[in-house]
Amino acid sequence: MRVVETSSPEFLVMADDRDPENGNSSHLYLASVAGVEDAENCLEIEFQHGPVKEVGINGATNEVLIEIVMDRLAGFQTGKFACLANANALHSLEDALRHLQSRTADRVSRGVEGTNQQ
């Protein structure tokens, strides 16, 4: 496991080693309050590991996590915490999601979505 640099020093985020066979990405992230070694207060995020067509769905996608944060920010924007910073963050996440969806659409059109082919 390696430490992931974050902008929130009160949290410790760890990731498994990057996997060169799957795009040099990490698949497992653990986040906890820094200095607290309590499994109950640890958040585990496991990403898809391997091509869906070959191994099935076994983890979250980048898109799903972005959509979760978008939903949270959209909720703030309908309540007393609405602000320009949240609106800008939501807009940026929408852009990020569009880029990832565009990448997926391109991979589908080339017949390589769900595989390790480029």
Side-chain angles (χ1 to χ4, degrees):
M1 298 290 282
R2 62 185 173 79
V3 174
V4 176
E5 297 291 326
T6 72
S7 61
S8 300
E10 62 274 7
F11 290 96
L12 172 64
V13 178
M14 305 285 291
D16 65 351
D17 291 332
R18 291 189 168 105
D19 183 355
E21 295 295 317
N22 287 297
N24 209 33
S25 62
S26 295
H27 299 285
L28 177 65
Y29 289 81
L30 303 174
S32 63
V33 176
V36 176
E37 294 183 26
D38 179 2
E40 286 188 23
N41 292 317
C42 183
L43 169 66
E44 181 176 311
I45 300 171
E46 190 162 356
F47 283 94
Q48 177 67 29
H49 193 177
V52 171
K53 286 185 179 178
E54 296 173 17
V55 301
I57 295 173
N58 60 24
T61 63
N62 296 326
E63 292 86 344
V64 166
L65 289 181
I66 289 171
E67 289 166 331
I68 289 169
V69 176
M70 286 172 59
D71 181 76
R72 182 172 165 82
L73 287 172
F76 286 151
Q77 288 303 89
T78 63
K80 66 180 182 178
F81 297 117
C83 66
L84 181 59
N86 286 344
N88 288 339
L90 186 56
H91 177 74
S92 294
L93 289 168
E94 289 166 347
D95 281 346
L97 185 59
R98 274 193 295 277
H99 286 292
L100 291 171
Q101 289 169 336
S102 175
R103 175 186 176 273
T104 299
D106 174 64
R107 290 181 57 78
V108 167
S109 73
R110 293 185 290 115
V112 298
E113 177 61 17
T115 73
N116 275 341
Q117 295 177 357
Q118 292 185 355

